[in-house]
Amino acid sequence: ENEDRHTNHHDACGSLPFHTIGVMDGHDTDAASEFVSRMLPVVVGKHVKDGKTMEQAYMTGMEELENGLKKHCATAGTCVCSCIISSRWVWCGNLGDCRSCLIPLNVPESMAAAKAAKAQHLVWMSRDHKASLPEEKRRITAAGGKVVDGRVEGLEPSRTLGDFDVKMQAGVHDRSEERRVGKE
């Protein structure tokens, strides 16, 4: 069965509407990706409405989702890539190796021009968190972890939600310590 999920949610902060979209790349059952796909827009949206910056809303939201997963599953995990779109702004938050890119189009002057619109360039909105990447390997090693064959305790994504069995083997017992060491 497919362990991946997606989310697509409309909300508003006062009179300003925003739209949350995202993908969850689940592993070891769909439990983590299913939970995160349902809860991510609600949790992050709550923090946006409370006046937090997008960075704070995503960081706090991801921590809450991690804590929520502790009650639901011990071994399932998920990578997350989510974007919030509001007016002309787009924010992206990611953990793991799901990717997001923005492809701006030329602004058409007419419907005929809209049909012929071409992409101007590609803008990567996310960055992979893989144990095989040099910056992630340095971060993991500095935190006391080990990367073997581009993996941490068998996982290539070096940042995920859930995967508590792997995190215990890797010696990550306290998420606040992991965030401090891995803060970018």
Side-chain angles (χ1 to χ4, degrees), residues 9-21 44-45 48-49 52-54 58 82-92 102 125:
H9 184 77
H10 295 277
D11 208 337
C13 184
S15 63
L16 186 63
F18 64 93
H19 188 82
T20 305
I21 57 173
V44 174
V48 169
K49 291 176 191 175
K52 292 185 175 171
T53 66
M54 281 298 176
Y58 268 115
S82 167
C83 292
I84 292 181
I85 304 157
S86 183
S87 185
R88 62 185 191 119
W89 301 99
V90 179
W91 295 268
C92 180
L102 177 68
M125 301 288 292

Side-chain angles (χ1 to χ4, degrees), residues 70-145:
K70 287 179 183 174
K71 299 172 187 167
H72 294 306
C73 50
T75 60
T78 189
C79 296
V80 180
C81 188
S82 167
C83 292
I84 292 181
I85 304 157
S86 183
S87 185
R88 62 185 191 119
W89 301 99
V90 179
W91 295 268
C92 180
N94 75 298
L95 294 171
D97 56 5
C98 297
R99 295 179 181 167
S100 176
C101 70
L102 177 68
I103 304 172
L105 300 176
N106 294 321
V107 178
E109 293 182 22
S110 67
M111 284 305 290
K115 291 179 182 179
K118 302 224 187 280
Q120 295 173 346
H121 58 281
L122 180 128
V123 178
W124 285 107
M125 301 288 292
S126 60
R127 186 177 74 196
D128 283 355
H129 299 126
K130 291 182 178 182
S132 60
L133 295 174
E135 62 270 12
E136 280 296 286
K137 187 173 182 177
R138 281 191 294 275
R139 183 187 70 83
I140 293 162
T141 304

Side-chain angles (χ1 to χ4, degrees), residues 22-70:
V23 294
M24 291 79 212
D25 179 7
H27 39 273
D28 195 27
T29 80
D30 64 355
S33 55
E34 178 68 30
F35 175 78
V36 173
S37 71
R38 284 185 289 106
M39 298 305 298
L40 179 109
V42 174
V43 171
V44 174
K46 176 185 72 146
H47 294 298
V48 169
K49 291 176 191 175
D50 287 345
K52 292 185 175 171
T53 66
M54 281 298 176
E55 182 179 6
Q56 292 169 330
Y58 268 115
M59 287 178 63
T60 305
M62 295 290 186
E63 182 176 5
E64 287 180 25
L65 292 169
E66 177 84 342
N67 289 332
L69 280 172
K70 287 179 183 174

